[in-house]
Amino acid sequence: MKNHHQIIIIGGGNAGISVAAQLFRKNNKLDIAIIDPSEKHYYQPAWTLVGSGVFDIEKTERNEADVMPKKAVWIKELVQTFNPDAQAITTDKATYTYDYLVVCPGIQLNWSAVKGLPETLGKNGVCSNYSFKTAPYTFECIKNFKGGKAIFHNPHTPVKCGGAPHKIMYMATDYFRKHGVLDNADIQYWSGAAKLFAVPQYEKTLLEVCKRGNIKLNFMQRLDEIDGPNKRAKFVGFGENNKDVETWVEFDMIHVTPPQSAPDFIKNSPLANAGGWVDVDKNTLQHVKYANIFSLGDASGLPTSKTGAAIRKQAPVVVANLLSLIESQAFGASYTGYTSCPLVTGYGKLVLAEFDYNNQPMETFPFDQSKERWSMYMLKKEILPRMYWGQILTGKA
């Protein structure tokens, strides 16, 4: 295997595969290598539906080899360090050099940042849709819930799909209602954020959904510890009014979203900003210091929600600007911060939130998307998964 490539892409997830596929569509003579050790590729947006009992987990998994662009060189190794001045990367096996680099390894889930979580996850009523292994257990917990306390947690860090921690709460609430246990349920949302949702137009609808389910909201709370066998969780406040206040909350079931960060090899690299994310210009997606490096997706330091929909708008910008750079032309593409959060609010109901860097709605459809709609639920459940495998990963969309 040769050690120099014209373009190296770090990460074979949604971002890396779609950028490579789009680059090859524009120019099939490019020499592109993708570095990613994963054997499997996941369609993670469906895991909320898996946890709600309406989507088959097996349909969210494919072999990485089957989604890898045929012309790409796949390097199945783990990146460890960067030397951008020498245009080099060192993996666990070798050192590679590049002319251009695209960094999109995704986000790191820090399960062990919550004391006791790894030991109890997947049992004792402790569930999470944030892993292929544990998402089906979420539905077990919802189905077996006969009343008591159901806790839904959102961490104090950025996360992928910022809506997912409360989407499963709305689905659970609707399930409890349909099965006659809602009156016996004490549903609580414990969040590290300051509010339920950043865009007022959509938050208004979500607050109504919370009211409908009699959901109690707690903000500026950090989950520090879970005691699975005794079914209790410790939250510590960090807001102005609850700073350092410790609360032990008992639960019959708890859905946990792990704290998240940029991968360690990014955080500890010369590419990172103060927060540990890849430091890129928010419009051109070019690194602020190294002109031949671009970044997109969850590991990039872009001030927008980390979603697959955001990647769909970021990828063409990276592709266009990278090709312009290769041809020594001025950049013509700019990213506005577009992201989307399909917020399921119940079975057959969805609010399609779409917005930009300024939290201004950027809607696709000619109707009020802040209303709950069956058509948008079908878009998420039936159309988007097909579009992902058939269009996005092949560089057509």
Side-chain angles (χ1 to χ4, degrees), residues 110-123:
N110 299 316
W111 299 98
S112 53
V114 177
K115 188 179 170 193
L117 177 58
E119 297 83 351
T120 194
L121 186 62
K123 52 180 194 253

Side-chain angles (χ1 to χ4, degrees), residues 47-53 114 117 125-130 134-135 137-156 159 162-177 181-182 184-193 195-196 209-210 213-223 226 232-235 249-258 344-345 347:
W47 289 351
T48 289
L49 298 176
V50 169
S52 312
V114 177
L117 177 58
V126 181
C127 58
S128 181
N129 289 341
Y130 272 79
T134 61
Y137 180 64
T138 300
F139 187 57
E140 292 296 307
C141 293
I142 291 171
K143 214 168 42 175
N144 296 328
F145 182 83
K146 298 293 177 262
K149 262 191 195 164
I151 308 293
F152 295 86
H153 155 255
N154 176 44
H156 58 292
V159 296
H166 45 127
K167 287 194 269 199
I168 189 60
M169 173 171 73
Y170 306 139
M171 294 298 271
T173 303
D174 201 29
Y175 189 91
F176 300 158
R177 181 186 290 111
V181 296
L182 187 58
N184 306 323
D186 177 2
I187 304 169
Q188 301 182 13
Y189 183 60
W190 287 74
S191 172
K195 50 163 68 164
L196 189 58
V209 175
C210 289
N214 197 19
I215 296 166
K216 301 175 186 71
L217 305 174
N218 303 275
F219 296 112
M220 303 303 277
Q221 297 278 357
R222 185 183 68 241
L223 176 61
I226 286 204
R232 55 190 208 131
K234 182 170 96 172
F235 290 92
V249 183
E250 295 184 342
F251 60 81
D252 292 280
M253 71 163 279
I254 183 169
H255 180 273
V256 179
T257 300
V344 281
T345 52
Y347 290 85

Side-chain angles (χ1 to χ4, degrees), residues 280-283 300-306 335 337 356-359:
V280 288
D281 179 278
K282 70 176 196 173
N283 300 121
S300 64
L302 300 170
T304 192
S305 292
K306 298 178 183 297
Y335 173 62
D356 65 11
Y357 278 137
N358 304 317
N359 287 333

